[in-house]
Amino acid sequence: MRKKITIRLKNEILLTLKNESFEVSNESQLCEIFDINIRFFELFKRSKNIKIDRQCKIELLQWIKQGYLETNNSLFGKTITPPTFLDVMKAASVLNDDD
């Protein structure tokens, strides 16, 4: 699927490249486009930063140059996966320690 890159989306991509990580949050347009379920992350953490590798950065830059992003077979889209059961349990144990 192709999606036109708006100014807001371009700014989010540039911020992601600058920070070298992707922030999973309610405001993220990339979450919406790639059907990233932020509820998994928000149960245990307000936001989760995911480090993105060099290939993903190249892909993000290509999208900006093209003026649209391509969701099919996206390296970036495959990088962001929901947390595993183990991740959830670790996060829950950290929350319990705070009480």
Side-chain angles (χ1 to χ4, degrees), residues 18-89:
K18 182 182 170 189
N19 294 339
E20 297 192 354
S21 65
F22 173 65
E23 189 172 313
V24 180
S25 69
N26 280 324
E27 293 80 37
S28 170
Q29 288 193 311
L30 286 167
C31 277
E32 188 182 311
I33 292 161
F34 287 100
D35 294 324
I36 298 159
N37 191 337
I38 59 171
R39 284 189 185 160
F40 282 113
F41 296 101
E42 288 181 339
L43 282 171
F44 306 103
K45 206 173 178 186
R46 193 154 192 83
S47 67
K48 182 174 174 74
N49 291 330
I50 298 166
K51 293 283 179 202
I52 54 170
D53 64 16
R54 188 173 181 274
Q55 287 300 109
C56 287
K57 289 177 190 175
I58 291 168
E59 187 175 66
L60 289 169
L61 285 169
Q62 283 174 340
W63 288 340
I64 290 174
K65 285 179 187 172
Q66 291 170 181
Y68 64 87
L69 58 79
E70 185 66 62
T71 60
N72 295 342
N73 299 318
S74 165
L75 288 170
F76 175 80
K78 289 176 186 169
T79 299
I80 295 108
T81 56
T84 63
F85 179 73
L86 186 60
D87 294 334
V88 167
M89 294 311 289

